[in-house]
Amino acid sequence: MDRTARFIELLDAVTVDCKDNGKEFVTDDRISVIERLLDGSAYKVVAREPLALVYARRDFCEKNGVVLVSSHVDSLHSSCFCNDEGDYLRGTFDNSFGNAAILWQMLAGTLPDNVVISFTGDEERDSQGAVQTVLALGKMQCRIKFAVVLDVTNVGWNTGACLTIENDNAVDMFTAYSIVGIIKDSAVKYAFEHDAEPDESWCYSEYGIPVFSFCIPAKGNLHADEGVLMRKESIEPYCGTLLDVLALLS
């Protein structure tokens, strides 16, 4: 089985229901899958909040600041699915794709040591999972030096982009040029949208944290029960570039 096929297996596993009421999770099937997948891995839960599950390496040291990857698990779909349609996948991937992308790296042990991952709720409404993440890390005296929000987007689909950078805020010029340089060197087709649809990046920016959203393009209504189309050929470039960008930020 090739890497893309293995990733699709992981994506299928996490494309299950997860809902909250703005205060706590009321359906936590996806959280249960994530915890099962990471059981015995190099990662441990460092904060368990009503709307956030925060992971870090077992030997992680927060003294020098961390790079936060925020990946929301709440879903607006009445049911979830992941279907293979040849060159495309069709499914309810908002935001199981982002969950699978970071889990892929966590399970492979490829992330830099100071990357912290938060699986958050309430993104579709008030981003209280993001708020709880910031507060929980603050209690640990853990400085967030950068945040990367993983999500699905409609931006870039029509141009064949494999990934997008959206909602960037407080990113210094040197870092911005370095990120663009990584993408251009890899020849991955991408799109940029400074003022995109609201997501958790808006919340992190309110805390003065440099942030942007790193998204994969899809075709269709992101919240519709019939799902969206996603290009299989985008999976490897997206995941590989994500790893390169996190290495740079770390």
Side-chain angles (χ1 to χ4, degrees):
M1 185 183 299
D2 65 18
R3 283 172 53 84
T4 298
R6 293 199 301 273
F7 180 90
I8 293 170
E9 278 194 351
L10 177 61
L11 176 60
D12 182 59
V14 297
T15 306
V16 293
D17 202 11
C18 190
K19 290 184 172 59
D20 63 76
N21 59 11
K23 297 180 180 178
E24 62 185 359
F25 290 107
V26 294
T27 304
D28 61 357
D29 297 357
R30 191 175 305 178
I31 294 171
S32 296
V33 171
I34 290 169
E35 290 191 282
R36 175 176 56 80
L37 288 169
L38 292 174
D39 185 34
S41 74
Y43 289 85
K44 64 179 179 180
V45 176
V46 294
R48 187 184 297 271
E49 303 297 323
L51 289 168
L53 188 64
V54 185
Y55 278 90
R57 282 191 176 272
R58 294 185 182 277
D59 56 352
F60 119 100
C61 178
E62 68 276 13
K63 291 181 180 178
N64 296 321
V66 301
V67 174
L68 171 66
V69 175
S70 186
S71 181
H72 79 87
V73 293
D74 55 313
S75 169
L76 295 181
H77 305 290
S78 60
S79 61
C80 299
F81 71 96
C82 173
N83 290 343
D84 193 326
E85 297 188 358
D87 292 335
Y88 300 91
L89 297 174
R90 180 179 293 278
T92 50
F93 299 133
D94 185 15
N95 177 41
S96 62
F97 182 86
N99 306 153
I102 195 62
L103 282 166
W104 181 255
Q105 308 292 359
M106 294 170 75
L107 292 168
T110 50
L111 292 172
D113 291 345
N114 67 332
V115 172
V116 171
I117 304 94
S118 187
F119 298 102
T120 60
D122 194 47
E123 187 272 348
E124 301 290 2
R125 288 180 291 269
D126 299 321
S127 292
Q128 286 301 304
V131 172
Q132 291 176 12
T133 298
V134 173
L135 296 180
L137 291 173
K139 290 178 182 176
M140 298 167 57
Q141 297 185 328
C142 183
R143 180 177 65 89
I144 303 171
K145 63 180 184 178
F146 213 105
V148 178
V149 174
L150 307 186
D151 216 333
V152 182
T153 184
N154 294 134
V155 174
W157 175 266
N158 291 335
T159 60
C162 293
L163 59 91
T164 71
I165 293 177
E166 306 180 14
N167 288 331
D168 59 300
N169 188 76
V171 181
D172 68 83
M173 193 66 69
F174 177 78
T175 301
Y177 275 119
S178 298
I179 292 170
V180 172
I182 286 174
I183 298 172
K184 287 185 175 180
D185 287 346
S186 65
V188 173
K189 195 165 187 178
Y190 75 102
F192 175 75
E193 188 82 10
H194 176 65
D195 292 312
E197 291 295 315
D199 62 16
E200 289 181 328
S201 64
W202 291 29
C203 174
Y204 293 119
S205 68
E206 290 178 358
Y207 286 91
I209 300 168
V211 63
F212 62 81
S213 296
F214 192 86
C215 307
I216 190 163
K219 180 181 181 180
N221 183 335
L222 299 177
H223 299 147
D225 283 344
E226 60 264 28
V228 294
L229 279 181
M230 188 177 297
R231 297 182 180 95
K232 285 184 182 177
E233 66 183 15
S234 296
I235 294 173
E236 283 274 9
Y238 178 94
C239 291
T241 307
L242 173 61
L243 183 59
D244 290 341
V245 168
L246 292 175
L248 169 72
L249 296 175
S250 297

